[in-house]
Amino acid sequence: MRPTIKDVAKKAGVSHTTVSMVIHNDKRITEETRQKVLRAIKEINYYPNYSARSLIQGKSNTIAFVTPFFYFSSFFEIYTMHGLEKYNLDNKNKYVIQQFTTGPDEKRRNDLLLELLYGRRADAIIGLGFVPDIKILEEYRNKNVPIVLIDAKAKYVHIVRADNYYGGYIATEYLIKKGKKNIAIISAQLSASLAPEQRLKGYSDALKANGLDFKKENLIFVEHFLFEEGRQAIREILEKKLNVDAIFSAAGDWVAMGVITEARKLGIKIPQDISIVGYDDIIVSETIIPPLTTVRQPTFDMGKKAFEIAVNAMEGKIIKETEEIFKPELVIRESA
Amino acid sequence: MRPTIKDVAKKAGVSHTTVSMVIHNDKRITEETRQKVLRAIKEINYYPNYSARSLIQGKSNTIAFVTPFFYFSSFFEIYTMHGLEKYNLDNKNKYVIQQFTTGPDEKRRNDLLLELLYGRRADAIIGLGFVPDIKILEEYRNKNVPIVLIDAKAKYVHIVRADNYYGGYIATEYLIKKGKKNIAIISAQLSASLAPEQRLKGYSDALKANGLDFKKENLIFVEHFLFEEGRQAIREILEKKLNVDAIFSAAGDWVAMGVITEARKLGIKIPQDISIVGYDDIIVSETIIPPLTTVRQPTFDMGKKAFEIAVNAMEGKIIKETEEIFKPELVIRESA
DNA sequence: CTGAAAGCGCTTACAG
DNA sequence: CTGAAAGCGCTTACAG
């Protein structure tokens, strides 16, 4: 039904081998033959069958982006994905990006990873928000199929991550320099990403380095990085009468915005009464009133880098596992 | 390197044809043989080669999601994508979703579509934000490869769209019922999607139906659906001394939020002085102060439906082109 | 109930 | 410089 390489061959009056060689720019072909073949390809609208090519080459020319999150739940994920797309687009969409959302079920994710590996369905994996079983990592390693993990840490894989310790440190230090003495931190529960832990450590080290004590009661936990949790957090802080003069939402801007919204409703002046610093710099952070001071993660660049590493590793240009660490930066607006 | 169907056959002591039949649940195979084969598959960790299967079956089991937007620029796109993912996940990821961002270059997009079709790289297309050339639509039609277009209108394809006329109408009608007499509308320039035009028509019809005139000077244009453009729009409205008592941002919530932010900065009370209604109900619309009254589009459901149609059309369960029209609804909060 | 054979559409040594 | 042949890993009639 669709023209094949043989149809092109017939049309051009050459063998299909020759057609294949023209397509692959083999220099042994004469210019004349080349032109003849190219004309035939144009005329009958020939495009190589992708599956046949993959089968014979033993690779899929595909990169799988795997995440457990239910359909793009976070800005982190979205921006990272932007980065992937951008890198690929800049390289003429040389590879196909396949999108896999697995949900939280670990077994399901592992099955998918095995299928991608053994079914030759992807030449590289970019993972976000999880760490595969060590057994799976070993199998990928054996088969020489690269895995790039974003915001995680594991053996045998390439890592792209942000320096969360540094992010926690500079946010806290900034508040201290502004004269704040009693800074609460809102932190996520510990997860696969280690980010919460590292930010917390940055926070407490910054306190210590400036002669302030880490107070356990100033640590507020949050579970889902939600706006609503921020509103609750500030109420909790007030109820406990912690008398804080600043809040660092290491659990993201979303939570920070909840804090701001609720605080203003309660008549608290920001930043005069309480200063707020967020984390992430999501697209809406500068539109809230007052605009949010926050730690920006270079998620877009991280996505690009992840893709670049995946491509280079696939193509054999990288042999050893790499670890790219991105420095976050403080974006100063009006909330602190 | 990776085990093939022949390795399974050898291990199980049967022919590879039998293995294939077991994999495809052919009932002619005895239970005993079945078990033997299944055991062998488990033991040597066999997964079918995806490319080989695609080649022989003449299909890729892949749905391509194509959009010209640079890396997920809009919430509309993100939510739609959520819907696709969700539908697929609920169906055990039966199909693979491939993600293609083409950028604004039309030729590039057409090339991609031809390649997907003739290279047998996708069994169906879901497109957002563009209409392919009629020639391409015809070729897809001839080859019986379904295209589902979201938020567009074209021949030969399945359509999933929202009723933008209705959305424009109910938003305007609501403002009128609230006693507003001089309602400005912020509209996007006309685009491929027709949405701006239809919303505008809904707006002006609602005015007429309630004895109000459509005034040309009350129509403000915006280009990129941006927050910043909303800020500019309200300044423009004030400078022109239009004396409006309400603004309907048919160009989306993002713009509406710009209007609100700038208006408050200028000391305008919302909704008392000027009421604002947005369009889309993006995730942040309820977090702004005052929370935004807006027209919600069921984008998530639209994405799900688009995927469902694509699947059913691929599988021959739908023959004729369908058109699914979703009704938007007014979400009443505090800005109007 | 199972297997041998043909074939999907390519690419890649190899021969001439 | 070009072509015939083998083969990638499957599936699907067909034969027994």
Side-chain angles (χ1 to χ4, degrees):
Chain A
M1 189 164 119
R2 263 153 262 204
T4 73
I5 199 168
K6 287 185 184 170
D7 299 318
V8 178
K10 200 179 295 173
K11 183 101 191 168
V14 298
S15 78
H16 73 274
T17 308
T18 303
V19 175
S20 179
M21 292 173 97
V22 169
I23 290 171
H24 290 88
N25 288 317
D26 194 306
K27 317 118 202 159
R28 288 173 295 179
I29 306 291
T30 51
E31 187 55 25
E32 198 192 329
T33 314
R34 234 176 70 79
Q35 289 307 333
K36 230 174 18 186
V37 170
L38 289 178
R39 227 176 300 128
I41 287 177
K42 267 265 158 58
E43 269 175 48
I44 68 175
N45 233 343
Y46 168 73
Y47 288 83
N49 182 307
Y50 208 71
S51 303
R53 191 176 258 183
S54 296
L55 174 59
I56 194 96
Q57 288 180 157
K59 57 178 184 159
S60 63
N61 298 304
T62 281
I63 295 178
F65 180 68
V66 180
T67 162
F69 302 130
F70 269 101
Y71 32 97
F72 302 101
S73 41
S74 74
F75 279 99
F76 190 97
E77 187 189 356
I78 292 165
Y79 291 149
T80 306
M81 189 75 193
H82 290 188
L84 303 185
E85 288 280 351
K86 181 70 167 82
Y87 184 90
N88 200 31
L89 188 63
D90 288 347
N91 288 273
K92 311 187 167 197
N93 284 314
K94 189 170 169 190
Y95 295 100
V96 171
I97 299 175
Q98 291 186 343
Q99 173 76 36
F100 295 96
T101 298
T102 61
D105 180 354
E106 206 165 327
K107 181 172 177 324
R108 183 168 193 164
R109 192 162 61 236
N110 286 336
D111 278 353
L112 173 67
L113 289 170
L114 287 175
E115 206 184 315
L116 291 173
L117 178 65
Y118 284 103
R120 284 207 174 281
R121 290 174 51 172
D123 299 338
I125 306 287
I126 298 176
L128 174 61
F130 69 99
V131 174
D133 282 355
I134 181 72
K135 260 203 61 183
I136 288 182
L137 294 178
E138 280 166 0
E139 299 202 46
Y140 268 79
R141 169 102 181 142
N142 289 340
K143 303 280 184 274
N144 212 17
V145 173
I147 296 183
V148 183
L149 254 31
I150 298 173
D151 201 27
K153 194 114 179 100
K155 261 171 102 168
Y156 303 138
V157 301
H158 304 277
I159 296 288
V160 172
R161 63 180 182 88
D163 189 339
N164 284 289
Y165 174 83
Y166 179 77
Y169 197 98
I170 56 174
T172 311
E173 192 183 40
Y174 172 78
L175 288 168
I176 297 170
K177 291 268 148 76
K178 281 263 176 173
K180 305 300 172 183
K181 303 278 182 221
N182 196 23
I183 305 166
I185 181 169
I186 303 175
S187 175
Q189 304 282 6
L190 305 190
S191 72
S193 88
L194 298 184
E197 196 181 324
Q198 292 166 350
R199 291 178 198 169
L200 191 55
K201 184 130 199 336
Y203 159 84
S204 76
D205 280 6
L207 289 180
K208 267 178 231 153
N210 288 277
L212 295 175
D213 282 344
F214 172 85
K215 297 184 210 157
K216 215 174 164 190
E217 67 269 25
N218 277 354
L219 170 56
I220 315 288
F221 278 117
V222 123
E223 268 187 78
H224 302 292
F225 306 93
L226 297 177
F227 183 84
E228 196 50 44
E229 291 176 315
R231 302 176 70 151
Q232 229 164 63
I234 179 81
R235 285 197 299 263
E236 188 180 330
I237 286 169
L238 293 173
E239 273 164 27
K240 282 162 116 187
K241 297 196 196 302
L242 297 175
N243 277 319
V244 304
D245 49 16
I247 299 174
F248 169 36
S249 170
D253 281 1
W254 222 228
V255 172
M257 289 173 67
V259 171
I260 288 182
T261 302
E262 187 69 13
R264 293 184 64 212
K265 197 177 272 182
L266 297 172
I268 296 170
K269 287 211 180 67
I270 297 168
Q272 295 84 345
D273 299 341
I274 299 181
S275 292
I276 317 277
V277 174
Y279 212 105
D280 282 343
D281 195 26
I282 63 180
I283 193 168
V284 289
S285 301
E286 61 177 325
T287 68
I288 197 172
I289 299 178
L292 187 64
T293 293
T294 186
V295 180
R296 174 185 296 160
Q297 306 206 75
T299 40
F300 181 78
D301 291 331
M302 288 166 70
K304 276 176 81 166
K305 179 56 89 179
F307 203 88
E308 183 189 331
I309 292 174
V311 168
N312 285 332
M314 277 164 60
E315 296 180 351
K317 291 176 195 154
I318 300 179
I319 309 299
K320 249 187 78 66
E321 285 87 28
T322 56
E323 176 168 15
E324 292 274 349
I325 303 172
F326 285 75
K327 280 259 182 281
E329 66 180 307
L330 192 68
V331 179
I332 298 172
R333 297 206 182 94
E334 296 171 27
S335 70
Chain B
M1 191 165 118
R2 264 153 264 204
T4 71
I5 199 169
K6 288 186 182 170
D7 299 319
V8 178
K10 200 179 293 173
K11 184 101 193 167
V14 298
S15 77
H16 72 274
T17 306
T18 303
V19 176
S20 178
M21 293 174 98
V22 169
I23 291 172
H24 290 87
N25 288 316
D26 194 305
K27 318 118 202 162
R28 289 173 297 180
I29 306 291
T30 52
E31 187 55 26
E32 198 192 330
T33 313
R34 236 176 70 80
Q35 289 306 333
K36 230 172 21 184
V37 171
L38 289 178
R39 227 177 298 127
I41 287 177
K42 267 265 159 62
E43 268 176 48
I44 68 175
N45 232 341
Y46 167 74
Y47 289 82
N49 182 306
Y50 208 71
S51 303
R53 188 175 261 185
S54 298
L55 175 59
I56 194 95
Q57 290 182 155
K59 56 178 187 160
S60 62
N61 298 305
T62 280
I63 294 178
F65 181 67
V66 179
T67 161
F69 302 132
F70 269 100
Y71 32 99
F72 304 99
S73 40
S74 72
F75 279 99
F76 189 97
E77 187 187 356
I78 292 166
Y79 292 149
T80 307
M81 190 76 195
H82 290 188
L84 303 185
E85 288 281 351
K86 181 71 167 78
Y87 184 91
N88 200 30
L89 187 64
D90 287 347
N91 288 273
K92 310 186 167 196
N93 283 316
K94 188 170 169 192
Y95 295 100
V96 172
I97 298 175
Q98 292 187 342
Q99 174 75 36
F100 294 96
T101 298
T102 63
D105 181 354
E106 206 165 324
K107 182 174 175 328
R108 184 168 193 165
R109 191 162 62 236
N110 286 336
D111 278 353
L112 172 67
L113 290 170
L114 287 174
E115 206 183 316
L116 292 174
L117 178 64
Y118 284 103
R120 282 206 176 281
R121 290 174 52 175
D123 299 337
I125 306 287
I126 297 176
L128 174 63
F130 70 100
V131 175
D133 283 354
I134 180 72
K135 259 203 61 181
I136 289 181
L137 294 179
E138 281 165 0
E139 299 202 45
Y140 268 79
R141 170 99 181 144
N142 288 340
K143 304 280 184 273
N144 213 15
V145 174
I147 297 184
V148 183
L149 253 33
I150 298 173
D151 201 28
K153 192 114 177 97
K155 264 170 100 167
Y156 303 138
V157 301
H158 304 277
I159 297 288
V160 173
R161 64 180 181 85
D163 189 339
N164 284 289
Y165 174 83
Y166 180 77
Y169 198 99
I170 57 174
T172 310
E173 191 183 40
Y174 172 78
L175 287 169
I176 296 169
K177 293 266 148 75
K178 281 265 178 172
K180 304 301 172 180
K181 301 281 184 218
N182 195 23
I183 305 165
I185 180 169
I186 302 176
S187 174
Q189 303 284 3
L190 306 191
S191 73
S193 88
L194 299 183
E197 197 181 323
Q198 293 167 348
R199 290 178 199 170
L200 191 55
K201 185 132 198 334
Y203 160 82
S204 75
D205 280 7
L207 290 181
K208 266 177 231 154
N210 289 278
L212 295 175
D213 282 343
F214 172 84
K215 297 186 209 156
K216 214 174 163 189
E217 67 268 25
N218 276 355
L219 169 57
I220 314 286
F221 278 117
V222 124
E223 267 186 77
H224 302 292
F225 307 91
L226 298 177
F227 183 83
E228 196 49 43
E229 292 177 314
R231 303 176 70 151
Q232 230 164 60
I234 178 82
R235 284 197 299 263
E236 190 181 327
I237 286 168
L238 294 173
E239 273 164 27
K240 282 163 113 186
K241 298 196 195 305
L242 296 176
N243 279 319
V244 303
D245 48 16
I247 298 174
F248 168 35
S249 171
D253 282 359
W254 221 230
V255 171
M257 289 173 68
V259 170
I260 289 181
T261 303
E262 188 68 14
R264 295 183 64 212
K265 197 178 274 183
L266 296 172
I268 296 168
K269 287 210 180 67
I270 297 169
Q272 296 84 346
D273 300 340
I274 299 182
S275 293
I276 316 275
V277 174
Y279 211 105
D280 282 342
D281 195 27
I282 63 180
I283 193 168
V284 288
S285 301
E286 63 177 323
T287 69
I288 197 171
I289 300 178
L292 187 64
T293 293
T294 187
V295 180
R296 175 185 294 159
Q297 307 205 75
T299 41
F300 181 77
D301 291 331
M302 287 167 69
K304 276 175 83 167
K305 180 54 89 176
F307 203 89
E308 183 190 332
I309 291 175
V311 168
N312 285 332
M314 279 164 58
E315 296 180 350
K317 291 177 197 156
I318 300 180
I319 308 298
K320 250 186 78 63
E321 285 87 27
T322 56
E323 177 168 14
E324 290 275 351
I325 302 173
F326 285 75
K327 281 258 182 279
E329 67 180 307
L330 192 68
V331 179
I332 298 171
R333 298 204 182 95
E334 296 171 27
S335 71

